[in-house]
Amino acid sequence: MDGIDEPRRYSGKTIINLFRDFNLTRPLSLEKVVFGEWTEVRDSPETQNEYDGGFSAGMGYVSMGNIITIVSSYGAEAPCRGTLLSYNQTGDWAMVVLDDACITNLQFSYSKGDFLRVGWVETGSFKPVEKRSFTAD
C-alpha cells in the first residue's frame, strides 16, 4: 500500500469505535453547546493518551491514544460551538458534532489535513448555549 492510501487502512477502525457506545435507542439530543478552552474529541468514550511512536512514524504524524481532534477556544476570537447528539450510558461522555467554524480553533487532527468533527467529549468540556427568551415590546 502506498503512502497516499495509508490513512484509509485505519478509517474503518475509527468509525467502528466512534459508534461503539452510541445508544441508538434513545432520541438524539440536538442541544447546541459551546466548548471550553481545550476540548479533546475522541473516537470512544474513554481517556487514552498513550503516544504510539511506531504508528505515528508509519503515518507521518502524531497519534495520541484515541484523540481524533483537539480544538482550543483559549485566546480565540470566537469559542468553538457544536451540537450534542447523545450521552453514553453513564452520562460522563457525550457524542458531539463540532460546527464548521471550529476549524479556526483546530489544534490537532488525527487525519492529517482533515477536520474530523464528530466524536466523544467529556461532559465537563462544554456547556449548553444560553437560551434567550424574546419578549414583545
Side-chain angles (χ1 to χ4, degrees), residues 60-73:
Y61 52 91
V62 175
S63 174
M64 295 294 293
N66 64 342
I67 299 172
I68 56 176
T69 299
I70 297 174
V71 291
S72 174
S73 295

Side-chain angles (χ1 to χ4, degrees), residues 19-28 86-89 120:
F19 291 102
R20 182 183 67 197
D21 292 299
F22 189 76
N23 187 340
L24 296 172
T25 62
R26 282 193 231 161
L28 295 178
S86 183
Y87 290 95
N88 68 340
Q89 292 197 0
W120 294 95

Side-chain angles (χ1 to χ4, degrees), residues 19-119:
F19 291 102
R20 182 183 67 197
D21 292 299
F22 189 76
N23 187 340
L24 296 172
T25 62
R26 282 193 231 161
L28 295 178
S29 168
L30 303 180
E31 180 178 7
K32 297 295 184 185
V33 296
V34 62
F35 297 95
E37 292 183 355
W38 187 261
T39 302
E40 296 167 342
V41 181
R42 298 173 182 270
D43 71 6
S44 56
E46 59 192 329
T47 301
Q48 295 176 3
N49 292 330
E50 305 80 28
Y51 170 69
D52 187 336
F55 182 82
S56 296
M59 295 298 287
Y61 52 91
V62 175
S63 174
M64 295 294 293
N66 64 342
I67 299 172
I68 56 176
T69 299
I70 297 174
V71 291
S72 174
S73 295
Y74 181 77
E77 225 173 272
C80 181
R81 296 175 180 269
T83 304
L84 185 149
L85 298 180
S86 183
Y87 290 95
N88 68 340
Q89 292 197 0
T90 57
D92 51 344
W93 290 87
M95 181 174 277
V96 298
V97 178
L98 304 177
D99 288 351
D100 282 337
C102 291
I103 196 164
T104 61
N105 304 67
L106 184 64
Q107 300 295 313
F108 169 84
S109 180
Y110 168 83
S111 180
K112 192 174 183 180
D114 291 330
F115 177 44
L116 303 175
R117 300 175 40 213
V118 179

